[in-house]
Amino acid sequence: MLDELLSKVKKASFELLSLDNKIRKECLINMANTILNNQDEILKKNQEDILNAKTNNLSQAMIERLTLNENRIKSLANSIIEVANLNDVVGKNLQTFKRPNGLIIEKIAVPFGVIAAIFESRPNVCVDIASLCLKTANACVLKGGKEAINTNKELVRCMKEAIGQFVDPNCITLIEDINRSTTIELLQKRQYIDLLIPRGGKGLIEYVVNNAKVPYIETGSGNCHLYVNEYADINMALNIAINAKYQRPSVCNSIENIIVDEKIAPLFLPKLYEKFKELNIEMRGCSKTLEIIKVNPATLKDFYTEYNDYIIAIKIVKDIYEAISHINIHSSKHSEAIITNDLKMRDLFLNSIDSACVYHNASTRFTDGGEFGFGQEVGISTQKLHARGPMGINEICTYKYKIYGNGEVRK
């Protein structure tokens, strides 16, 4: 059954190659309008998923991640339009050079072919990936979690309806079977899948790493850190800490750890405690933290944990070198930030931290394809090959060489 489904997607991917950029843009605009026109049905299906999530005792943060409303649907449609209006990548000449023997060689951007995405909870991911793939002439196979299955079905139905008059709608395909066995089978299908992108927590990423035979990119797992340096502006640090933890704790670019220089900790931590107490954020601290504020003790496991919830771990360090060492050991290589007014400290941190995105005096919540001007992202890569950080249309293209000759033969 899966082979039959994937075979149709592969066939549709070849048809996409012959579709010019103007028609793909029209498809995307149709997708945005169709989603807006079917808003009521999408919200109805989303409510079914929310009810099931509550019945299954999902955390409030995860339910928030799952939830759509009118504003979020408008945001979905707007993000598709943003992708549609991006400069085209496919067919772009990246480089041209002529060899001494007369051969002219062009390096041309081309799609991967079929991109599979496995993701959890967030139904917007379904639309983000489909729109970016269509923009770049990639077919996509979507495997969402059971939490959002009804919403995902309706979103994909809308997108297929929108593009059916232009191209084979199988170029956007949802695997509706939510069983784990289907996921493991998908991970083996090298003959159909050119690139796999998992978007979810640490468990999903590890599952893919341990089981995939198809090429994949590690994305999403976000054990992110905020380091409050001794030369930090305390009010700035407080505002950024609140934004990076509280605004949307269920997403991968929210912070899970706050690292504090011991010289500023007595001033900063009591103020942080009062703010986070008001917001009902659970604080867990190292032994030095417990000497300053009354919070739950943190274990070693806490400093490796992506909570996706209103929980934060706090570590006091003696200096920036200990902060850098701690972050490089414990982070998932996603996003880290330093709050400081000292430019030497800034540069040392930004140059020494081995993560995809490093920030100075700003919230890690900006690690996002839309915020980076990419329209959206198919994922946030935490590895180094071939892409790193938010992956937009450039990162889901590869290239090939076109070589033009006039009878040349190799001697």
Side-chain angles (χ1 to χ4, degrees), residues 8 10 37 63 76 110 113 137 159 169 205 214 220 225 247 251 263 276 320 325 338 386 392:
K8 291 178 180 178
K10 193 72 173 178
N37 292 338
I63 291 174
L76 276 181
V110 297
M159 291 189 288
I205 306 302
V214 301
H225 295 73
Q247 187 205 35
V251 294
K263 299 178 187 65
F276 276 18
I320 190 171
S325 176
I338 181 174
H386 72 284

Side-chain angles (χ1 to χ4, degrees), residues 45-46 60 81 102 161 180-181 226 234 256 334 350 373:
K45 295 298 182 182
N46 188 240
Q60 189 57 45
I81 298 297
E161 177 185 311
R180 175 67 66 89
S181 60
L226 176 68
I234 288 181
E256 308 292 7
H334 192 296
L350 298 184

Side-chain angles (χ1 to χ4, degrees), residues 234-235 238 265-276 293:
I234 288 181
N235 289 330
L238 288 170
L267 293 173
F268 175 72
L269 286 180
K271 294 179 182 293
L272 181 73
Y273 177 83
E274 292 301 323
K275 295 288 186 180
F276 276 18
I293 53 177

Side-chain angles (χ1 to χ4, degrees), residues 211-230:
N211 293 282
K213 290 186 177 179
V214 301
Y216 63 84
I217 291 180
E218 293 183 51
T219 72
S221 180
N223 185 22
C224 304
H225 295 73
L226 176 68
Y227 169 48
V228 182
N229 179 251
E230 61 178 296

